[in-house]
């Protein structure tokens, strides 16, 4: 069973993602803070990270930069309300494997998760 770290500060979205991903056969771990996400990703082994940009301490772009700078190669899907072309390009160019704007289709998210977890 693949393990997914969800980095999101909106409780309703966390609950929705957790419930849906568990039903799809994934194990989930959650945090609402960017700094904690960096610590968790460096200390534990996750198969994939779902990362919001708008976090209360450091934003998702900074989390992404720190993880990639530390050599973390875990696939990262950015899932965020920041949907401008500039934001999407910044996320992808700085190491995100995928970028999905909110609102989003859960079925599409699961398809993208499965795509990123293929061997």
């Amino acid at each position: 069973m693949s393990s997914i770290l969800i980095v999101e500060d909106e409780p309703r979205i966390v609950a929705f993602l957790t419930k849906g991903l568990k039903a799809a056969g994934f194990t989930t771990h959650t945090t609402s803070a960017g700094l904690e996400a960096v610590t968790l990703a460096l200390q534990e082994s996750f198969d994939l990270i779902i990362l919001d940009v708008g976090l209360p301490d450091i934003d998702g772009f900074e989390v992404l930069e720190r993880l990639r700078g530390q050599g973390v190669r875990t696939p990262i899907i950015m899932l965020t309300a920041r949907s401008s072309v500039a934001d999407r390009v910044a996320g992808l160019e700085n190491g995100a494997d995928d970028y999905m704007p909110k609102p989003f289709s859960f079925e599409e998210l699961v398809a993208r998760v499965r795509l990123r977890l293929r061997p």
Side-chain angles (χ1 to χ4, degrees):
M1 189 176 305
S2 297
S3 176
I4 299 174
L5 174 62
I6 300 168
V7 186
E8 169 66 59
D9 65 330
E10 175 58 46
R12 288 183 297 171
I13 295 174
V14 171
F16 175 72
L17 290 173
T18 300
K19 181 179 178 181
L21 290 169
K22 283 184 179 180
F26 301 102
T27 300
T28 61
H29 304 271
T30 65
T31 182
S32 61
L35 291 172
E36 184 179 4
V38 172
T39 300
L40 286 169
L42 291 173
Q43 293 177 348
E44 298 185 33
S45 179
F46 296 101
D47 298 301
L48 185 130
I49 299 169
I50 295 176
L51 177 61
D52 186 18
V53 172
L55 300 170
D57 51 359
I58 61 172
D59 72 21
F61 292 122
E62 178 71 19
V63 172
L64 177 64
E65 184 178 313
R66 289 183 186 199
L67 292 177
R68 294 306 190 223
Q70 291 288 322
V72 174
R73 295 291 158 229
T74 304
I76 297 174
I77 298 175
M78 298 191 85
L79 182 65
T80 178
R82 293 187 48 186
S83 61
S84 73
V85 172
D87 287 328
R88 287 181 281 167
V89 169
L92 294 168
E93 285 187 346
N94 288 307
D97 296 281
D98 207 342
Y99 196 107
M100 284 190 68
K102 294 175 187 172
F104 62 96
S105 157
F106 185 75
E107 293 80 9
E108 181 181 356
L109 175 63
V110 170
R112 290 175 186 239
V113 166
R114 289 187 174 133
L115 173 68
R116 298 294 165 207
L117 293 175
R118 284 185 192 156

